[in-house]
Amino acid sequence: MLRARGLHKSYRMGRSHVHVLRGASLDVGRGEFLVIRGASGSGKSTLLHLLGALDIPDRGSVEFEGTDLFDRGDAIRRAYRRRSIGFVFQFYHLLPECNVLENVLMPRLVAHSLLGWRSARRTARRDAATILERVGLSERSKHRPSELSGGERQRVAIARAIVNDPVVLLADEPTGNLDARIGGEILELLTELNEAGQTVIMVTHDDKVASRAHRRVQLTEGIIKEMDGSGGDAASARRIIKEVAP
Amino acid sequence: MYKWFLAIRYLRTKLIAVFGIASVMLCVAMVLVVLSVMGGFLDTVRERARGLHSEIVLEAGTLQGVPYYEEFGAYLQQQLPGVVDIVTPVIYTYGIFRVPATTWTKPARVLGVHLDDYVRVNTFAGGLHYDKYYPGSSRLDPQSMPVAGVGPSGDLVLPPDLQQANASWRESEADPEALTAYDADPFVEAPYPYVTATPRSTSERVYAAEPGPPRYAGPERDGVIVGVDLLFARRTSGTFERYLARGADVALTLMPLSPAGNPMGELPSKVPLRYVDDSRTGIFEIDSLCVYVDFDMLQHRLAMDPQPLADGGMTKPRANQLLISTREGVDINEAKDQIAMAWSVYGASLGLDPDSQEARALGLAAVYTWEDMQRQFINAVEKEKVLVTFLFTLISMVAIVLVGCIFYMIVEKKTRDIGILKSIGASSLGVAGLFVVYAGAVGLVGSILGTIFGSVVVWYINDIQDFLASLHPQLRMWSPDVYSFDQIPNVVKQADAVWVASMAVLASILGSIIPARIAGRVWPVEALRYE
Ligand SMILES: Nc1ncnc2c1ncn2[C@@H]1O[C@H](COP(=O)(O)OP(=O)(O)O)[C@@H](O)[C@H]1O
Ligand SMILES: [Mg+2]
């Protein structure tokens, strides 16, 4: 379903270049819970951004259901971000001026024009309420992000990521800023979502967190390596790992 | 949809929006105040320029004047009855104005007018001082000096006709403040001879007069109405220091000219006159120069009335201008053309020898509209308008830059939000649109507040200035002794307000375009990498 091939990405740091991804390839199937592991600074976020079409690779391709995300204009990537993926960031990234409900509704607002919103409003509000219920924040829908704890904020971020019913949920160290217990709850939530059929790709550098996944891959030196002893036999049946020579 | 939603939300929750709104508001208020005051000023000037003459003027073009003016007036009224309303001749010349009691002299432009008709073709009557309190009492024919006396009840009274005129004014005066102002100090407001006022306290004065009944005294002399600035100095309060009483002796020295323009008669000719009133057209250049006397008297004194010729005939009387008022609804430029045509047809119909002095005088005369007559003055006014427009443009630029800066700051602070929006699928154009809508909203709110604030300032501008002046005289921004207006214009035109407000909204939007484009270009990953 999601297929990355030979991704290269480097950043310029003054005069020198940091070659972060050096031909990373990855395939993800529907319903999978994939964890990408890697040391801090190994390029996990960079990879996830490419998978979410938030950034453009120097070389290589990402195909979503057979469509290359980078060989044409921005419109495809925009539609992909809007409809097919949900992104959860390590630092929550909620809009501080909007309350919980409004933050969750924001992807819907983005998807509708001023006129279209009139007809879409009722369903959108109902969906948002259902999702807030699901992440356990019904009581706090009128609160501002600044009034919430870290765990609650991350729940809002997850609710926002899934409100448009995306095919893939991309989570970049969603527990990175939370203590173990709260982080565990977030993982619980992601697991529940996965069990309900949501494809999840999560990035972490925490081995304990990684143990949740069906399947784990390791990002080292800019390429993806399948990890031995990946949990879940179902996952191994689906696994497709390829290394493409740079 | 999120554009509108977030724009409103930012407007309500971001402190920086308050700065944006405040700067737009102040710009709008400032421009509106400048435009209203300047516009009011220009309108008044124009209005006054218009009231100086009459709609159309036949101007002799020479000091010695043009003959056949009377016949031509009659001809006009007969030929163009639908166009021409009143026709009245004017003589003007230059002379030396003198107040014998003070040996004080000034150059004067002397106008000879038929007062009854003159006041019907222009707004002259509205600028008369004594005539306001004693309607109908300002005449230019020979008259004696009115002297106040002690009435039966012991107060000061004037001769019966003046008492009566004053009573009729009191009945018809609609403005109660004018009555109170006059009653506070009747003989200071409108001084009469031999009345002395001694302050008893700050609020009360005692008037004393020569013993005897109210009467007219002294020889009869032709009346003269004097431009107020020629006689009196203006106080900062806008009132005049009237040290000369009504009926005082004044004199004019004139220089008669022959039809060819040569000095003639016994030179110079000194005319004793009686000061009956002063006139205020509101244009300083006129009020500090002009004096008005009776047409027939001046014509005679200047030898412009029929003079015997060597061959036994008589010369034609001459005048310098023929003021022509048009009927209501007549286009004055068309009227001017028709009258000019009539003038040449009439001139030709006289069958004069083209080399004669009369024919040449007719050829020099030309027809003008009031705007033509005041061309220089109005041009200056229009130049000021250009200046105002220029200032306005400059101010608008400032507003655009200001809004641009504020929005640049907002965009900087909101980069992360922009990244978030893009990560959930917002387009560059959409994000740019968000800031344009935001700027429009800031502009709109600022404009509305600015229009309200500016209007209030304009409405109360005279009170504001009085207050400032009460703090320190140097803070007086409008000195009535410089401008011929007592008050700062304080009317806001609706069209101005709408125009300024919409320009400000437009300026805000324009100012936000660069920051909005920057916002549109934000790369989501860059914006979201760090906390
Ligand atoms: N915009 C950037 N400019 C320069 N260097 C960058 C930029 N983004 C990431 N990097 C560098 O790329 C490397 C990988 O970053 P990242 O993908 O965030 O790693 P991880 O998420 O695994 O910690 C790091 O060394 C980081 O400093
Ligand atoms: Mg990272």
Side-chain angles (χ1 to χ4, degrees):
Chain A
M1 176 191 58
L2 193 61
R3 168 194 289 252
R5 283 296 171 272
L7 289 174
H8 281 260
K9 182 79 185 174
S10 60
Y11 296 105
R12 186 175 302 179
M13 297 271 275
R15 292 259 172 94
S16 63
H17 284 255
V18 194
H19 207 152
V20 182
L21 297 183
R22 299 158 181 260
S25 298
L26 182 67
D27 286 74
V28 187
R30 214 174 261 275
E32 251 189 312
F33 193 146
L34 172 72
V35 162
I36 301 171
R37 283 187 45 189
S40 200
S42 59
K44 305 183 295 296
S45 297
T46 305
L47 176 63
L48 207 62
H49 290 152
L50 293 179
L51 294 179
L54 298 185
D55 206 352
I56 293 176
D58 300 338
R59 263 199 289 149
S61 66
V62 176
E63 271 176 29
F64 175 71
E65 293 183 335
T67 313
D68 194 320
L69 296 176
F70 298 114
D71 74 346
R72 261 172 292 157
D74 196 44
I76 287 191
R77 292 190 285 280
R78 224 160 48 223
Y80 171 68
R81 292 201 290 262
R82 192 165 1 182
R83 288 195 221 106
S84 310
I85 61 149
F87 217 107
V88 178
F89 302 93
Q90 181 180 352
F91 303 110
Y92 330 125
H93 289 326
L94 302 174
L95 298 176
E97 279 85 12
C98 299
N99 66 30
V100 166
L101 181 67
E102 289 158 352
N103 264 292
V104 173
L105 277 173
M106 198 49 66
R108 287 285 175 99
L109 284 168
V110 169
H112 287 95
S113 69
L114 187 58
L115 291 176
W117 180 244
R118 287 187 47 160
S119 52
R121 206 176 127 189
R122 286 178 123 233
T123 3
R125 287 186 160 266
R126 207 185 46 228
D127 292 354
T130 316
I131 286 167
L132 279 176
E133 175 97 54
R134 202 155 146 204
V135 300
L137 283 175
S138 304
E139 306 291 298
R140 329 254 357 208
S141 67
K142 294 285 175 231
H143 288 77
R144 289 282 174 85
S146 57
E147 296 161 345
L148 302 179
S149 71
E152 287 170 327
R153 288 184 207 186
Q154 199 57 293
R155 284 166 188 272
V156 177
I158 292 169
R160 177 181 64 190
I162 61 177
V163 73
N164 273 355
D165 208 4
V167 182
V168 186
L169 182 63
L170 300 164
D172 189 354
E173 308 211 32
T175 60
N177 260 23
L178 304 171
D179 63 36
R181 192 174 60 80
I182 304 293
E185 283 173 22
I186 294 295
L187 283 178
E188 201 62 50
L189 178 60
L190 290 175
T191 313
E192 274 172 29
L193 290 171
N194 176 249
E195 278 161 5
Q198 177 70 57
T199 311
V200 179
I201 303 175
M202 184 173 80
V203 152
T204 183
H205 65 268
D206 186 338
D207 286 343
K208 238 170 63 204
V209 169
S211 64
R212 289 289 182 135
H214 298 153
R215 181 182 148 215
R216 276 164 284 166
V217 295
Q218 176 86 30
L219 182 63
T220 27
E221 321 237 297
I223 49 176
I224 297 278
K225 292 197 179 113
E226 195 74 14
M227 282 176 75
D228 291 330
S230 283
D233 13 287
S236 52
R238 277 199 295 267
R239 76 191 181 130
I240 307 156
I241 311 135
K242 259 185 203 159
E243 275 187 47
V244 175
Chain B
M1 172 60 205
Y2 70 101
K3 296 192 242 337
W4 305 91
F5 176 81
L6 281 178
I8 305 294
R9 179 53 53 89
Y10 286 172
L11 195 66
R12 274 181 28 208
T13 54
K14 299 238 64 86
L15 181 66
I16 196 145
V18 175
F19 288 103
I21 290 171
S23 59
V24 172
M25 175 181 125
L26 291 177
C27 278
V28 166
M30 167 171 67
V31 171
L32 193 61
V33 169
V34 168
L35 213 64
S36 297
V37 171
M38 284 305 286
F41 179 75
L42 303 185
D43 286 351
T44 320
V45 163
R46 232 180 122 80
E47 180 117 330
R48 292 193 176 169
R50 173 171 200 143
L52 280 181
H53 305 271
S54 54
E55 281 89 355
I56 312 275
V57 178
L58 173 72
E59 160 67 48
T62 61
L63 268 187
Q64 65 267 29
V66 65
Y68 297 105
Y69 64 90
E70 239 167 1
E71 292 87 337
F72 178 60
Y75 174 81
L76 268 187
Q77 275 173 330
Q78 180 214 326
Q79 294 291 315
L80 299 169
V83 176
V84 171
D85 187 9
I86 299 159
V87 182
T88 181
V90 171
I91 290 175
Y92 64 76
T93 185
Y94 290 85
I96 298 165
F97 182 79
R98 199 157 80 84
V99 179
T102 62
T103 68
W104 182 82
T105 53
K106 273 216 162 173
R109 184 179 156 110
V110 186
L111 281 89
V113 299
H114 289 301
L115 192 60
D116 293 343
D117 285 337
Y118 190 69
V119 297
R120 287 166 66 203
V121 299
N122 57 35
T123 57
F124 185 74
L128 296 176
H129 183 69
Y130 285 94
D131 203 57
K132 175 184 174 190
Y133 301 121
Y134 305 92
S137 67
S138 294
R139 294 170 291 107
L140 296 176
D141 50 343
Q143 52 197 285
S144 299
M145 178 171 69
V147 179
V150 181
S153 55
D155 358 327
L156 231 45
V157 284
L158 289 162
D161 57 326
L162 291 176
Q163 276 313 114
Q164 231 160 45
N166 187 246
S168 80
W169 165 64
R170 297 173 150 282
E171 266 168 41
S172 60
E173 178 61 61
D175 178 10
E177 273 178 40
L179 281 175
T180 2
Y182 173 81
D183 283 342
D185 255 342
F187 288 97
V188 169
E189 183 66 22
Y192 278 89
Y194 308 135
V195 178
T196 51
T198 8
R200 181 191 275 172
S201 65
T202 47
S203 61
E204 205 185 345
R205 281 177 213 265
V206 181
Y207 293 106
E210 302 261 291
R215 63 200 179 276
Y216 281 95
E220 294 212 328
R221 286 185 174 153
D222 285 293
V224 60
I225 294 171
V226 187
V228 67
D229 293 294
L230 191 148
L231 269 184
F232 306 127
R234 208 148 179 239
R235 300 194 196 97
T236 47
S237 63
T239 57
F240 289 89
E241 187 89 54
R242 287 198 161 66
Y243 63 85
L244 206 63
R246 187 178 210 187
D249 285 337
V250 294
L252 264 178
T253 305
L254 301 170
M255 183 190 288
L257 297 175
S258 74
N262 290 312
M264 59 180 283
E266 285 170 33
L267 275 174
S269 151
K270 195 185 140 198
V271 187
L273 295 165
R274 218 169 266 301
Y275 158 64
V276 299
D277 208 339
D278 50 71
S279 138
R280 185 150 174 240
T281 62
I283 293 169
F284 183 80
E285 288 71 16
I286 297 214
D287 296 337
S288 61
L289 190 63
C290 291
V291 303
Y292 306 81
V293 296
D294 183 62
F295 179 87
D296 296 322
M297 185 278 287
L298 187 64
Q299 192 176 44
H300 177 67
R301 293 282 183 170
L302 292 175
M304 290 168 84
D305 54 348
Q307 301 286 315
L309 282 170
D311 63 9
M314 295 291 271
T315 60
K316 280 279 170 192
R318 289 169 286 144
N320 297 92
Q321 288 178 337
L322 202 58
L323 303 188
I324 303 158
S325 74
T326 53
R327 295 203 181 273
E328 225 169 280
V330 171
D331 180 280
I332 74 164
N333 284 308
E334 271 172 33
K336 169 192 160 181
D337 294 342
Q338 286 174 306
I339 291 167
M341 178 60 84
W343 176 243
S344 54
V345 169
Y346 176 76
S349 76
L350 291 173
L352 298 169
D353 168 11
D355 285 332
S356 72
Q357 227 153 45
E358 287 191 340
R360 259 182 271 152
L362 290 178
L364 284 175
V367 179
Y368 303 96
T369 65
W370 69 271
E371 267 180 305
D372 299 333
M373 293 299 287
Q374 294 298 319
R375 182 57 62 204
Q376 256 187 320
F377 201 59
I378 289 172
N379 276 356
V381 165
E382 260 149 26
K383 287 227 175 66
E384 286 190 55
K385 242 184 204 163
V386 173
L387 187 70
V388 171
T389 317
F390 174 71
L391 285 178
F392 177 77
T393 319
L394 215 64
I395 292 167
S396 313
M397 305 267 218
V398 174
I400 294 176
V401 172
L402 224 76
V403 170
C405 288
I406 288 170
F407 273 84
Y408 184 75
M409 282 162 67
I410 294 175
V411 168
E412 290 260 278
K413 289 187 92 176
K414 288 275 130 202
T415 339
R416 206 170 55 99
D417 287 19
I418 297 164
I420 296 169
L421 290 169
K422 287 198 155 182
S423 79
I424 56 177
S427 65
S428 300
L429 210 64
V431 169
L434 159 63
F435 285 90
V436 171
V437 171
Y438 185 13
V442 165
L444 190 68
V445 174
S447 292
I448 291 170
L449 294 178
T451 305
I452 294 170
F453 179 56
S455 301
V456 170
V457 168
V458 172
W459 291 333
Y460 291 100
I461 193 154
N462 287 295
D463 302 271
I464 293 171
Q465 117 139 331
D466 287 347
F467 171 72
L468 288 178
S470 74
L471 294 181
H472 195 284
Q474 287 282 316
L475 291 174
R476 181 171 284 284
M477 23 183 183
W478 181 275
S479 35
D481 47 343
V482 176
Y483 300 99
S484 307
F485 307 88
D486 304 328
Q487 294 232 310
I488 306 173
N490 64 344
V491 177
V492 179
K493 285 191 200 139
Q494 232 170 43
D496 285 351
V498 169
W499 195 67
V500 171
S502 34
M503 285 310 284
V505 174
L506 205 73
S508 307
I509 290 173
L510 268 176
S512 75
I513 280 181
I514 293 172
R517 289 186 58 162
I518 294 173
R521 290 213 197 100
V522 164
W523 201 241
V525 174
E526 294 300 319
L528 296 173
R529 181 165 296 273
Y530 311 103
E531 167 73 307

